[in-house]
Amino acid sequence: MAPTGSILRLQSRQCWRCAQRSFSSSARRAASTHDVRIVEVGPRDGLQNEKNSIPLSTKLELIRRLAQTGVRDIEAGSFVAPKWVPQMANSADILNQLLGHPPQAPHDIRYNFLVPNMKGLQNYLKAANPSGAETGEKDAPPTPPQTPEPAEEDPPASNTSTQDPNEMPSNTSGVNDPVQPADQRPDSKSSATSATSAAKSSPPTVSTEISIFAAATESFSKANTNCSIQESLARFREIISLAKSHDIRVRGYVSVALGCPYEGPNVSPVKVAEITRSLLEMGTDEVSVADTTGMGTASKTQELLKALFAAGISSHDIALHFHDTYGQALVNTVVGLENGIRTFDSSVGGLGGCPYSKGATGNVATEDLVHCLHSFGASTGVDLEKMAEIGEWISQELGRSNESRAGKAILARMRS
């Protein structure tokens, strides 16, 4: 599929917005203008709502396989009280394994862990740095951890370049820089082989980060975090401050940005922008704006992005997180791409859902998202065939159907 004219003519649409604010934003790293970053959320957001208990070995195997696909960011667990999200009860064990025995990978990988409150962050710090005497003061760099104390039983949160990112190439893609020709796109085995060889020569560097979750409506905030939006932001200020004192990267999420299960589909984009801006001004490095219910449409996504940019927020500072409840996730992704967004969340096999949003299906499948992005000539670094195989495997392990249409088509082609 050839790139559309609108994609080829992508230009910055932020010239009319207000003066740029000063944000933390370590996400502004050097990258080719055609690079698109995928944040794989399957091991955390994808699994947290599964009813049957998933063995630790299956979770670790899922992460191990994903690490070999070329993704550089993986949501790995959540330091929430097991009472609220039993599926995440062994997240400290996962952190232990990742720090002590990191999976082999073609690139350095950053693993994300959700912390819904200060107790969650303290338990994360104990797990990541057992030698530190205090979790309220800056400790030594993380070392292979011990299992932390149980998290306090507070309701958890739900389910997130120096160059101009607004231009896309016309006919190139690939898993490594420099850009490869179209016949060597990342769904070919040749690129995967070279990436795997590189991985064997030098072990990947593992880093971790935390994530925090706000909501765009009062009703969802109270159901999800048992407090108002302003109360949640006050809590996050303390969490971010402590995290930054430990040099920990912080990712924020704003849930129900394009539709709320309690207040309906018409969520104020200005309100979303205000919350996003507040998180960035507190020191959050990046904010993933999430369509938790899958109610978003192309026009609503465009309106939301316009409000974010008008609030002085750069496309470098945000990611988009779409659920595919109404089949609009890829359409909304293209809108984001045309507006300069270069980071998107997805889940292998379309795993996921939201425990506080009845009827919301899984995240957009990573296989579908990557296939779409590659068709526009974007470079994601992801081996699409490997991702398709993982989607089939984990779906079988969980006893559920594989929700990725592209993944199933790719597998059928591979086996024909």
Side-chain angles (χ1 to χ4, degrees), residues 122-185:
Q122 291 169 343
N123 284 330
Y124 163 87
L125 290 171
K126 291 176 183 177
N129 184 22
S131 63
E134 299 291 338
T135 58
E137 299 178 1
K138 188 169 182 177
D139 303 317
T143 56
Q146 299 173 345
T147 303
E149 299 175 1
E152 68 179 1
E153 297 186 351
D154 288 342
S158 71
N159 320 12
T160 170
S161 116
T162 59
Q163 294 176 305
D164 182 2
N166 296 301
E167 298 178 0
M168 295 287 292
S170 59
N171 60 356
T172 57
S173 181
V175 297
N176 296 314
D177 287 330
V179 182
Q180 300 173 353
D183 61 354
Q184 297 178 8
R185 287 186 179 177

Side-chain angles (χ1 to χ4, degrees), residues 276-320:
T276 302
R277 186 181 63 198
S278 294
L279 290 173
L280 290 167
E281 290 177 333
M282 289 179 195
T284 302
D285 295 281
E286 172 184 66
V287 175
S288 181
V289 182
D291 182 16
T292 312
T293 62
M295 294 181 184
T297 63
S299 60
K300 289 172 63 178
T301 301
Q302 180 70 47
E303 184 181 2
L304 174 59
L305 291 171
K306 182 179 179 180
L308 289 165
F309 297 154
I313 298 167
S314 167
S315 60
H316 299 280
D317 291 319
I318 54 178
L320 292 177

Side-chain angles (χ1 to χ4, degrees), residues 17-38:
R17 59 183 169 84
C18 64
Q20 182 67 38
R21 294 174 180 267
S22 177
F23 298 139
S24 175
S25 192
S26 65
R28 299 177 188 176
R29 57 191 182 191
S32 299
T33 58
H34 52 271
D35 282 350
V36 176
R37 172 171 157 253
I38 302 296

Side-chain angles (χ1 to χ4, degrees), residues 216-220 255-268 291-296 300 326 357:
T217 68
E218 292 292 349
S219 298
F220 197 83
S255 300
V256 297
L258 288 167
C260 174
Y262 307 109
E263 299 185 19
N266 297 318
V267 175
S268 168
D291 182 16
T292 312
T293 62
M295 294 181 184
K300 289 172 63 178
Y326 296 93
S357 180

Side-chain angles (χ1 to χ4, degrees), residues 177-396:
D177 287 330
V179 182
Q180 300 173 353
D183 61 354
Q184 297 178 8
R185 287 186 179 177
D187 55 347
S188 67
K189 290 188 177 292
S190 61
S191 57
T193 301
S194 62
T196 302
S197 299
K200 292 180 180 179
S201 62
S202 59
T205 299
V206 171
S207 61
T208 61
E209 68 176 7
I210 64 166
S211 59
I212 54 177
F213 285 77
T217 68
E218 292 292 349
S219 298
F220 197 83
S221 181
K222 290 175 182 177
N224 197 16
T225 63
N226 199 32
C227 65
S228 68
I229 293 173
Q230 287 304 314
E231 289 170 336
S232 70
L233 292 175
R235 294 178 184 178
F236 295 149
R237 188 179 300 277
E238 296 180 0
I239 293 173
I240 294 170
S241 177
L242 178 56
K244 290 301 179 180
S245 74
H246 290 263
D247 297 324
I248 298 172
R249 187 178 189 273
V250 181
R251 189 177 209 237
Y253 286 83
V254 179
S255 300
V256 297
L258 288 167
C260 174
Y262 307 109
E263 299 185 19
N266 297 318
V267 175
S268 168
V270 173
K271 185 65 175 178
V272 176
E274 289 175 353
I275 297 169
T276 302
R277 186 181 63 198
S278 294
L279 290 173
L280 290 167
E281 290 177 333
M282 289 179 195
T284 302
D285 295 281
E286 172 184 66
V287 175
S288 181
V289 182
D291 182 16
T292 312
T293 62
M295 294 181 184
T297 63
S299 60
K300 289 172 63 178
T301 301
Q302 180 70 47
E303 184 181 2
L304 174 59
L305 291 171
K306 182 179 179 180
L308 289 165
F309 297 154
I313 298 167
S314 167
S315 60
H316 299 280
D317 291 319
I318 54 178
L320 292 177
H321 179 119
F322 293 116
H323 284 234
D324 206 28
T325 310
Y326 296 93
Q328 298 299 297
L330 293 181
V331 176
N332 297 336
T333 295
V334 173
V335 174
L337 196 66
E338 290 180 325
N339 281 271
I341 306 302
R342 293 294 180 266
T343 301
F344 297 91
D345 301 350
S346 60
S347 179
V348 63
L351 299 176
C354 176
Y356 296 93
S357 180
K358 294 182 179 180
T361 55
N363 301 277
V364 61
T366 303
E367 305 95 304
D368 296 351
L369 175 64
V370 171
H371 180 267
C372 175
L373 293 170
H374 288 179
S375 75
F376 286 117
S379 174
T380 64
V382 176
D383 185 313
L384 190 49
E385 289 184 357
K386 281 188 177 181
M387 192 64 74
E389 291 172 337
I390 296 170
E392 179 183 59
W393 169 78
I394 189 60
S395 297
Q396 292 173 348

